[in-house]
Amino acid sequence: ADKLVTKGHCLIQCHLGSELNEEAVQQAKQLDGWKRLIEELEPAYLGREAEGKAAWLESDSLETEVSTGLGLIDRTISELAYALEPLATTMFGFGVIGRTDGLLRAPFSSRDEEERIFEEREV
């Protein structure tokens, strides 16, 4: 939490095993719904000068069991968010009431895919 306060961000690396990570990569490659976000919102979600495509994951609920690579990684992020929730008001100055759905980011697989996704971009 201290790094979030002092830097405004932190990098979290989950060591869930190479097999699980590879499963998540393969699931991400098979996802439908890849797109570019609205141009004005893209830097807030993906950073300045963002390249590539993005896809939203389905909502995570702690009441449901997950067994897929992407699901387990997303669950880890949910659990971290819930662990930080009690610190939010004191350390960050605001209350937390939940988290947004997971957002994946990946490079375009080809120039054709890039052109197609840009044509379908939300405006």
Side-chain angles (χ1 to χ4, degrees):
D2 290 333
K3 292 291 183 197
L4 287 173
V5 172
T6 58
K7 290 186 164 191
H9 70 279
C10 70
L11 175 65
I12 300 166
Q13 185 171 359
C14 300
H15 297 282
L16 300 174
S18 58
E19 189 174 301
L20 183 70
N21 289 340
E22 184 56 35
E23 178 186 338
V25 168
Q26 294 308 315
Q27 289 171 335
K29 287 180 179 180
Q30 296 172 9
L31 277 179
D32 292 327
W34 288 101
K35 59 183 165 180
R36 289 297 295 254
L37 302 176
I38 297 171
E39 190 172 1
E40 295 80 11
L41 297 179
E42 198 166 73
Y45 284 97
L46 304 178
R48 286 177 256 143
E49 300 178 25
E51 295 291 327
K53 57 190 178 182
W56 291 102
L57 296 177
E58 292 183 24
S59 296
D60 182 31
S61 169
L62 295 179
E63 287 82 42
T64 61
E65 190 165 330
V66 292
S67 58
T68 66
L70 275 178
L72 290 169
I73 291 169
D74 193 43
R75 175 61 52 86
T76 301
I77 294 169
S78 292
E79 290 171 348
L80 176 63
Y82 287 115
L84 288 173
E85 184 178 8
L87 304 171
T89 304
T90 304
M91 298 205 66
F92 309 128
F94 60 85
V96 176
I97 57 169
R99 66 164 278 219
T100 61
D101 294 340
L103 180 64
L104 298 179
R105 178 179 167 184
F108 294 110
S109 60
S110 67
R111 183 76 178 144
D112 288 340
E113 180 188 47
E114 182 177 4
E115 289 174 3
R116 179 182 54 77
I117 287 177
F118 267 102
E119 287 174 9
E120 297 169 356
R121 185 180 206 164
E122 298 175 5
V123 289

